[in-house]
């Protein structure tokens, strides 16, 4: 079965960051309504800071994982980490800002070295 992904909109070239978050939710909703709800539920200030942090790490070209946004960029944990980290990375991956490169051991102390997705900037 082939999964059709609708074309992306320029989410992160929008002047109003709250509109970018809304567009991300709209894009994700057809294929994953639950993930779209997580995007909409994210605190707008946290979302904006998270997007900026991912952009910063993606621009280096080096691999990174979600916990690096906390340790290297000072991003606070989201109010619902289990859903909002995934929603953030799914939206930015769909937009083409980042690409997955594999899995590694999580550096998050509470994760006990469980698997974590590794990302890098798409450019």
């Amino acid at each position: 079965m082939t999964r059709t992904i609708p074309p992306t909109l320029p989410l992160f070239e929008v002047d109003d960051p709250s509109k970018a978050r809304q567009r991300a939710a709209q894009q994700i909703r057809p294929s994953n309504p639950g993930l779209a709800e997580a995007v909409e539920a994210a605190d707008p200030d946290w979302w904006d800071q998270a997007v900026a942090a991912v952009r910063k790490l993606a621009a280096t070209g080096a691999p990174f994982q979600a916990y690096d946004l906390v340790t290297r960029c000072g991003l606070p944990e989201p109010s619902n980490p289990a859903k909002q980290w995934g929603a953030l990375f799914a939206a930015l991956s769909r937009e083409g800002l980042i690409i997955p490169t594999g899995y590694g051991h999580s550096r998050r102390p509470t994760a006990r070295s469980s698997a974590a997705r590794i990302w890098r900037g798409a450019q």
Side-chain angles (χ1 to χ4, degrees):
M1 181 169 124
T2 303
R3 186 174 139 208
T4 303
I5 298 176
T8 62
L9 301 169
L11 298 180
F12 305 104
E13 296 176 10
V14 177
D15 290 335
D16 182 354
S18 66
K19 288 183 181 176
R21 193 169 54 89
Q22 292 167 353
R23 282 192 186 172
Q26 288 173 352
Q27 275 188 281
I28 294 168
R29 188 171 310 288
S31 61
N32 193 331
L35 194 59
E37 288 176 18
V39 170
E40 291 169 336
D43 175 88
D45 291 332
W46 179 84
W47 184 269
D48 296 344
Q49 292 172 20
V51 170
V54 171
R55 281 179 177 266
K56 178 181 175 180
L57 294 181
T60 69
F64 62 95
Q65 56 182 261
Y67 192 59
D68 291 328
L69 277 67
V70 175
T71 59
R72 295 170 51 192
C73 301
L75 183 69
E77 293 286 348
S79 59
N80 187 342
K83 290 185 179 182
Q84 290 169 344
W85 283 121
L88 172 72
F89 282 92
L92 298 179
S93 176
R94 181 171 273 217
E95 177 61 20
L97 180 66
I98 56 174
I99 57 172
T101 62
Y103 290 88
H105 292 289
S106 174
R107 291 187 284 275
R108 186 180 301 274
T110 57
R112 297 190 173 124
S113 296
S114 63
R117 177 75 85 156
I118 306 297
W119 303 89
R120 71 169 176 80
Q123 284 89 9

